[in-house]
Amino acid sequence: MTAVTDHTEHEGRPEGASQGTGAAGAAEDTEAAVGSEGVWDDGLIARRGSGTRVDAAQRAGDGGGADAYAPAESPSVAPSGTPSGAPSGNSSGVSTAYEGPLRARLDALRELVGLSRTRLDSATLAEAGRVLDEAAARRRLSGRHTVVAIAGATGSGKSTLFNALAGVTISETGVRRPTTAAPIGCSWTDGAAGLLDRLGIPGRLRRRPLQGPDTRALEGLVLIDLPDHDSAVGEHRAHVDRILGLVDAVIWVVDPEKYADAMLHERYLRPMAGHAEVTFVVLNQVDRLPGDAADQVLDDLRRLLDEDGIALGEHGEPGAIVLALSALTGDGIGELRDSLGQFTKERGAAARRISADLDAAADELWPVYAAGAGSSRSRGRIGLSEEAREDFADRLADAVGAAAAGQAAERAWRRHAGKACGTPWLRLWRWYEAQRSPRGVGWPVGEAPADEEATARQRVEHAVRTVADEAACGLPQPWGQAVREAAVRGAEGLPEALDQLTLTAGVPEGRPPRPGWWPVAVLAQAAMTMLQVVGGLWLVAQIVGIAVPNLGVPVLLMLAGIVGGPCVEWASRMAARGPARRYGADAERRLREAAAGCGRARVLDPVAAELLRYREVREQYVRVTGAAVG
């Protein structure tokens, strides 16, 4: 067997730089890369006019993007031993996988984060930001390689399996626990230095497998041996948690004694159930089990994985691959090598991992984007119904006294008609009463009493609260709160604005309009008055002896004037009912429309803007979930 040597992939980099690369360096590289492509570009508020709606996988109700995840155009650095211009670095494997649905989902998540920054706190969006960062960082690196981590508990045989796959002892094994103190990387193909840099594995811990017939079967594989996930050393557990979030796939190694360990299932397997398609679960040390005990333990392991929600890739279905083997004796290693070879050959693990991360991020964001939508009260509707808008306008009209203003305008029109078409004697009497009363009988609107002003203000506040609650109904808590805050901000100064409307829009300008019969009634009333005057003067002339005595004619003239005047006034009053009613209704309508317009500009429009923003983010959230656009 040929001895293996420490192999550090420099790719034009000094060894010191590789050795100094750690988690912090990888994070800095990722941050710089993300900044260059604008994955976290703020202020991305795109108003979409397509009108398409999406069924959010039966959850979100109503339902892409920039080229942030398009294949990089910059040439890749040729790996050692590769001629200049040969395919290397970022190949078409991952780039092609990033096209289509996955790219659309990543773009939607980026827009979703940009639209939500002013409404949600940074902690809520942290996981989504991490997914975007890692997706952008992984896309820039080699698409020809698949990074697979071997993880497991103390004594499960991870390092033995690692060495068995490499064909030579690379990772130290022994009875001392923990044996593996730091992650060790082994690459079957050149060009994986960037991937190992991202994992923070220094050059001194990078290896190459034994070159032989099996090497080509695992071409493109980058295998990472992790420390024990249950190690008593906190630094070891930190290495495991960090690298598990960066690799493309994971091989979980369990043994017959710890395969049901609660820590393994509750901390790792169950939370990562959605990553089943990039998960291998290997039952190691089956050589220690007698007879058919290995099959029984394997069946029980499958049962536990099913309880964890991990889909098993049996009968050609997508899911986790579960195998039984013995790394010590080599039994089952060939089957695992074949599965890994096929898995690596597909070059789709990175895209499937990112897709699973997107699913997990979408599930985490479910309460702030979709929870509550489609409640029994809102019945799936987001926004204000026409009934709610009309009710808000009615409440504001009631607060400004639109109905009372209309009635007052109607009474004023009738008074004006009565003064114009009434008998002169009645007008003299009213003039006399007006002189005695300092208030007069005109239209002026006085100031409302203090208790009435307080009641009107309370009505306005109640109307705003009601319409805000109606608009926020069915929205997740952050967006419902944003809608209510928008309504409250808009309502500041609304009572004062409505009071001003009462003094302007509520008071008719100029003289009320006169119908066509008005001049006829005035002329008839003047004629009746003239009959009374002529009859009275004729009768007086007869009494003083100036005129020939003839009481019949003057008396008839006076009676005609006396009876005709009230009749004309009564007929005018009856005829004035319709115009007065229309005049009052018009005054009420003007004041109602003015109040509704004020409320719309100050309250409804800001609320509608918040609802529009929520519709946009929910549409992007639906796209993040991968639901089909309909």
Side-chain angles (χ1 to χ4, degrees):
M1 181 178 293
T2 306
V4 67
T5 59
D6 275 7
H7 178 79
T8 303
E9 296 185 71
H10 300 289
E11 296 196 15
R13 299 173 58 178
E15 182 175 357
S18 299
Q19 293 176 351
T21 302
E28 291 175 0
D29 293 342
T30 300
E31 181 179 355
V34 171
S36 66
E37 289 212 1
V39 174
W40 279 87
D41 186 19
D42 198 3
L44 187 64
I45 303 177
R47 301 295 181 188
R48 300 190 174 274
S50 62
T52 56
R53 289 295 178 267
V54 183
D55 182 5
Q58 306 301 323
R59 300 190 303 180
D62 293 344
D67 295 337
Y69 298 94
E73 298 296 335
S74 57
S76 303
V77 179
S80 57
T82 303
S84 177
S88 63
N90 188 10
S91 73
S92 61
V94 174
S95 298
T96 302
Y98 270 67
E99 295 295 330
L102 180 57
R103 175 181 174 180
R105 294 180 66 191
L106 288 168
D107 289 339
L109 182 61
R110 183 169 58 87
E111 292 193 24
L112 181 68
V113 171
L115 286 166
S116 306
R117 279 186 172 171
T118 58
R119 299 297 179 270
L120 303 177
D121 57 81
S122 57
T124 303
L125 299 173
E127 178 61 18
R130 188 196 69 81
V131 171
L132 289 172
D133 292 345
E134 299 305 336
R138 181 63 181 91
R139 184 196 62 80
R140 294 186 186 91
L141 301 175
S142 173
R144 299 182 299 115
H145 294 81
T146 300
V147 184
V148 181
I150 298 182
T154 303
S156 60
K158 301 185 312 300
S159 298
T160 304
L161 178 60
F162 183 82
N163 294 334
L165 291 172
V168 66
T169 301
I170 295 178
S171 185
E172 181 184 355
T173 61
V175 296
R176 180 177 59 87
R177 297 290 181 262
T179 304
T180 305
I184 299 175
C186 180
S187 174
W188 269 251
T189 312
D190 291 338
L195 293 169
L196 295 172
D197 287 345
R198 178 171 175 248
L199 298 179
I201 298 178
R204 59 185 175 81
L205 295 178
R206 303 180 187 184
R207 305 287 188 270
R208 292 298 298 273
L210 178 67
Q211 300 300 314
D214 295 334
T215 304
R216 280 188 73 83
L218 299 179
E219 184 176 352
L221 176 65
V222 179
L223 198 61
I224 310 297
D225 185 21
L226 296 179
D228 302 331
H229 71 76
D230 58 351
S231 173
V233 182
E235 184 181 359
H236 296 179
R237 298 193 302 272
H239 280 310
V240 173
D241 293 343
R242 178 179 59 83
I243 292 182
L244 285 180
L246 301 176
V247 296
D248 301 331
V250 182
I251 299 176
W252 287 101
V253 182
V254 297
D255 60 77
E257 295 178 354
K258 294 184 180 181
Y259 72 91
D261 180 46
M263 179 180 182
L264 169 66
H265 289 270
E266 294 177 4
R267 183 174 178 182
Y268 294 102
L269 294 180
R270 198 167 299 162
M272 298 190 69
H275 295 69
E277 292 189 47
V278 291
T279 300
F280 294 77
V281 181
V282 173
L283 176 63
N284 192 18
Q285 303 176 11
V286 294
D287 56 299
R288 298 168 49 194
L289 299 174
D292 61 350
D295 294 334
Q296 295 177 4
V297 174
L298 192 62
D299 289 342
D300 192 48
L301 174 60
R302 289 193 177 98
R303 178 188 62 81
L304 292 174
L305 295 176
D306 184 67
E307 292 179 356
D308 291 334
I310 297 178
L312 303 182
E314 299 176 337
H315 312 294
E317 299 175 354
I321 297 176
V322 183
L323 300 172
L325 53 81
S326 172
L328 186 62
T329 64
D331 185 23
I333 293 295
E335 184 179 1
L336 176 60
R337 183 179 284 108
D338 292 342
S339 298
L340 277 175
Q342 180 64 29
F343 186 77
T344 305
K345 189 186 219 178
E346 294 172 356
R347 296 185 180 180
R352 288 200 292 269
R353 169 60 195 261
I354 294 300
S355 181
D357 287 344
L358 280 171
D359 292 338
D363 289 341
E364 184 176 326
L365 293 175
W366 164 261
V368 297
Y369 288 115
S375 64
S376 58
R377 180 181 172 189
S378 64
R379 297 182 181 179
R381 173 188 53 78
I382 298 300
L384 284 173
S385 63
E386 192 62 30
E387 292 78 6
R389 294 174 179 273
E390 292 177 356
D391 180 68
F392 180 64
D394 291 341
R395 291 176 183 272
L396 292 185
D398 183 54
V400 298
Q407 294 173 1
E410 180 180 351
R411 289 194 300 269
W413 201 95
R414 287 185 177 182
R415 284 198 303 269
H416 190 56
K419 287 163 59 175
C421 303
T423 62
W425 325 118
L426 182 59
R427 279 190 285 174
L428 286 173
W429 173 256
R430 287 175 177 168
W431 177 82
Y432 175 71
E433 288 293 330
Q435 296 302 315
R436 293 179 56 188
S437 174
R439 293 179 300 175
V441 293
W443 172 266
V445 179
E447 295 184 358
D451 56 344
E452 292 186 8
E453 288 187 2
T455 302
R457 182 177 293 273
Q458 291 173 359
R459 289 175 179 173
V460 172
E461 294 174 353
H462 180 66
V464 172
R465 286 197 304 270
T466 301
V467 76
D469 290 341
E470 179 69 20
C473 179
L475 298 183
Q477 192 276 331
W479 303 98
Q481 183 64 26
V483 167
R484 291 186 177 91
E485 290 177 355
V488 171
R489 287 194 302 269
E492 295 177 357
L494 181 58
E496 291 77 9
L498 293 177
D499 290 342
Q500 187 63 30
L501 285 178
T502 305
L503 300 177
T504 55
V507 179
E509 297 180 359
R511 296 172 61 87
R514 296 181 178 183
W517 55 264
W518 194 312
V520 178
V522 173
L523 184 59
Q525 192 64 260
M528 294 302 104
T529 303
M530 290 298 297
L531 289 177
Q532 295 179 50
V533 172
V534 170
L537 291 177
W538 196 346
L539 186 59
V540 171
Q542 291 182 19
I543 293 173
V544 297
I546 300 176
V548 178
N550 185 4
L551 297 178
V553 176
V555 170
L556 288 175
L557 291 176
M558 288 185 65
L559 289 176
I562 292 172
V563 174
C567 289
V568 171
E569 183 176 0
W570 177 83
S572 299
R573 187 179 299 114
M574 293 299 102
R577 287 185 175 182
R581 190 179 299 111
R582 289 191 294 271
Y583 181 69
D586 185 61
E588 179 181 354
R589 178 186 56 79
R590 287 197 304 270
L591 185 54
R592 180 183 294 273
E593 290 178 351
C598 184
R600 181 172 57 253
R602 289 175 173 266
V603 177
L604 295 185
D605 287 350
V607 167
E610 289 297 331
L611 292 174
L612 177 60
R613 177 184 287 266
Y614 173 69
R615 288 193 186 96
E616 290 177 349
V617 299
R618 194 173 65 169
E619 180 176 321
Q620 295 305 323
Y621 176 77
V622 170
R623 295 179 184 274
V624 171
T625 63
V629 178

